[in-house]
Amino acid sequence: MLDAGHTANCVVYTSLIRNFFRHGRKEDGHKIYKEMSSRRCPPDLTLLNTYMDCTFKAGEVEKGRAIFEHIRDCGLSPDTYSYFALIHGLTKAGHARETYKLFYAMKDQGCVLDRRAYNVVLDGFCKAGKVDKAYQLLEEMKAQGHPPTVVTYGTVIDGLAKIDRLDEAYMLFEEAKSLGIVLNVVVYSSLIDGFGKLGRIDEAYLIMEEMMQKGLTPNVYTWNCLMHALVKAQEINETLVCFQSMKEMKCTPNTYTYTILINGCCRVQKYNKAFVFWQEMQKNGLVPNVVTYTTMISGLSKLGNISEASKLFEKFKANSGIPDSVSFNALIEGMSNANRPMDAYKVFEETRIRGCKINAKTCMALLDALNKAECLEQAAIVGAVLKEMAKSQHAARSL
């Protein structure tokens, strides 16, 4: 087209940018924008909004911000879609706290929100913990003639559930149903998760039952929420029943599912059962995460199987894993109790080098083991650390 002497306009450039980004070719998308500038084709607002949205979706948060600011440099004013793309992009990138300021800047500029924009702003408010503001916005949305959708209700219900305001979340849930809104698995899962975390297991079960009666199939997140709640309540047998039901319903467990099961078994000292799940998980091609490793290392250490715990600890590090304080403390305590004081001391030193917190209980177990083995030099160092911890705790209490 260019070789034939035709001039590309903003519509052509917008299409090219959008499609390059859509197919994962962001560098070509950026190149097209630069080429457009070099050919002295001024961008319009649609092009800049599209370009900004594309960069956010490609994970280029700062670039997205810069394009938003560039809109004014081009002599244009951001519209509703500009703010929509900016708020949506920042919220997805974990910068939801900026939503509040941007929302009012948008209002001051006279932008009129449509239903899609309201949903994005609501999501930002909820993720920023401003659930009361989200509530107000929900009422404003209704007053402006934009009936809330399942996404709207789902967002606010999830926001309320995450800050333990379950009774309000349930009222909204009932309101949505009374308006004839067909609720989805995501909304039901939010309530199951919320009730479960508060230990209101019976209510979580009732929500799950209602969901299935509506013909909805629980997904892996739903099952994980329920099983996590059961483990927290130390209802391990009920957790195993849920796991079996999950498999019977052809829902494939993920890494988090097995982590919950392993943690549950370790909590009630069923370490052998935990090891079975550990093996099953890897047989299914799932990669354990830091929580899974930590739980298993802690469980094996408490069982007194220090050899396996140590192997697992080394394997985790060899796989580029970064152990946390829990796994370090569990291993030190386990080795100390198994009369392996010098091995425990080596792990103690590594823990300090990595800057991980050592518990007083762990130090006491190690100190006792070192004194029994007459490793006086090492015992003196651990004793000094213990004294420093006591001083810090005393100072904190005094404040």
Side-chain angles (χ1 to χ4, degrees):
M1 184 184 80
L2 295 174
D3 289 346
H6 299 290
T7 304
N9 60 17
C10 278
V11 176
V12 175
Y13 281 115
T14 302
S15 180
L16 284 169
I17 289 168
R18 183 191 295 115
N19 283 289
F20 273 128
F21 271 93
R22 189 177 286 166
H23 289 87
R25 293 170 60 177
K26 64 180 184 180
E27 294 309 321
D28 287 319
H30 291 311
K31 193 192 290 183
I32 288 293
Y33 184 76
K34 284 177 186 171
E35 184 184 314
M36 183 189 82
S37 301
S38 68
R39 289 181 180 275
R40 301 186 184 282
C41 174
D44 63 11
L45 190 56
T46 301
L47 184 143
L48 290 168
N49 285 344
T50 302
Y51 189 25
M52 174 173 54
D53 189 41
C54 287
T55 54
F56 273 121
K57 283 174 180 170
E60 297 185 315
V61 180
E62 293 312 312
K63 181 70 177 171
R65 285 183 197 269
I67 295 169
F68 181 81
E69 295 303 322
H70 184 56
I71 290 172
R72 289 193 176 89
D73 296 338
C74 295
L76 303 165
S77 294
D79 63 2
T80 302
Y81 188 79
S82 311
Y83 281 101
F84 162 81
L86 179 64
I87 292 170
H88 184 64
L90 291 172
T91 301
K92 290 287 179 191
H95 302 287
R97 291 192 179 277
E98 296 180 47
T99 303
Y100 190 74
K101 182 178 72 176
L102 290 169
F103 172 66
Y104 284 101
M106 183 181 185
K107 285 255 188 177
D108 290 344
Q109 201 166 303
C111 294
V112 178
L113 279 72
D114 58 12
R115 189 155 57 183
R116 195 176 173 207
Y118 270 113
N119 284 342
V120 167
V121 175
L122 276 165
D123 186 43
F125 279 163
C126 287
K127 284 189 169 65
K130 296 182 182 293
V131 182
D132 289 327
K133 288 289 177 189
Y135 242 136
Q136 289 172 18
L137 201 59
L138 176 63
E139 293 307 313
E140 180 188 309
M141 184 179 178
K142 292 177 194 172
Q144 293 295 328
H146 298 294
T149 64
V150 63
V151 174
T152 319
Y153 277 106
T155 299
V156 184
I157 287 167
D158 187 59
L160 288 164
K162 280 188 166 52
I163 58 169
D164 301 339
R165 287 164 61 174
L166 264 300
D167 294 324
E168 292 167 83
Y170 190 75
M171 282 170 62
L172 268 188
F173 173 74
E174 289 296 323
E175 180 186 304
K177 287 194 293 183
S178 70
L179 293 171
I181 292 170
V182 180
L183 301 176
N184 56 25
V185 174
V186 176
V187 180
Y188 280 98
S189 297
S190 292
L191 282 176
I192 291 165
D193 184 41
F195 280 122
K197 281 177 179 168
L198 287 182
R200 294 164 68 174
I201 309 292
D202 290 343
E203 285 155 295
Y205 263 122
L206 286 170
I207 298 290
M208 175 77 104
E209 193 178 315
E210 181 186 317
M211 174 182 149
M212 291 167 79
Q213 283 173 353
K214 297 276 184 185
L216 296 169
T217 305
N219 59 24
V220 66
Y221 176 74
T222 321
W223 285 112
N224 286 349
C225 290
L226 187 57
M227 287 192 289
H228 180 70
L230 289 165
V231 163
K232 198 176 170 185
Q234 295 201 356
E235 296 280 358
I236 190 61
N237 291 331
E238 197 61 41
T239 308
L240 297 176
V241 169
C242 272
F243 181 60
Q244 191 56 40
S245 300
M246 177 185 182
K247 291 203 286 189
E248 284 169 5
M249 292 180 72
K250 309 295 180 193
C251 182
T252 307
N254 60 15
T255 298
Y256 187 55
T257 312
Y258 281 103
T259 304
I260 291 166
L261 292 166
I262 290 165
N263 180 35
C265 291
C266 288
R267 276 187 175 214
V268 294
Q269 299 182 359
K270 291 188 175 184
Y271 300 113
N272 292 331
K273 185 69 177 171
F275 197 65
V276 168
F277 283 126
W278 171 266
Q279 290 174 315
E280 183 182 314
M281 172 187 186
Q282 292 178 90
K283 187 181 172 184
N284 290 339
L286 295 170
V287 179
N289 58 27
V290 62
V291 181
T292 327
Y293 269 105
T294 298
T295 307
M296 272 307 295
I297 291 163
S298 180
L300 288 165
S301 298
K302 284 173 183 171
L303 186 63
N305 194 341
I306 301 304
S307 177
E308 282 297 326
S310 299
K311 278 182 197 171
L312 212 53
F313 187 71
E314 294 305 321
K315 183 182 175 184
F316 179 48
K317 290 194 290 182
N319 290 337
S320 303
I322 301 170
D324 60 7
S325 296
V326 178
S327 52
F328 275 118
N329 279 279
L331 200 55
I332 294 165
E333 202 173 327
M335 286 173 165
S336 300
N337 294 334
N339 296 318
R340 289 172 57 177
M342 286 311 295
D343 289 336
Y345 184 76
K346 282 177 189 171
V347 180
F348 170 81
E349 286 288 88
E350 186 183 342
T351 310
R352 293 176 72 204
I353 290 164
R354 285 179 181 262
C356 289
K357 187 181 176 183
I358 301 170
N359 300 332
K361 187 186 169 195
T362 305
C363 280
M364 291 291 287
L366 177 56
L367 186 60
D368 187 47
L370 289 166
N371 281 327
K372 281 179 183 173
E374 297 185 359
C375 302
L376 303 181
E377 187 182 332
Q378 290 81 7
I381 293 168
V382 175
V385 169
L386 203 52
K387 278 179 187 173
E388 278 301 314
M389 287 167 67
K391 276 184 192 174
S392 298
Q393 284 171 1
H394 178 71
R397 278 197 293 271
S398 299
L399 289 169

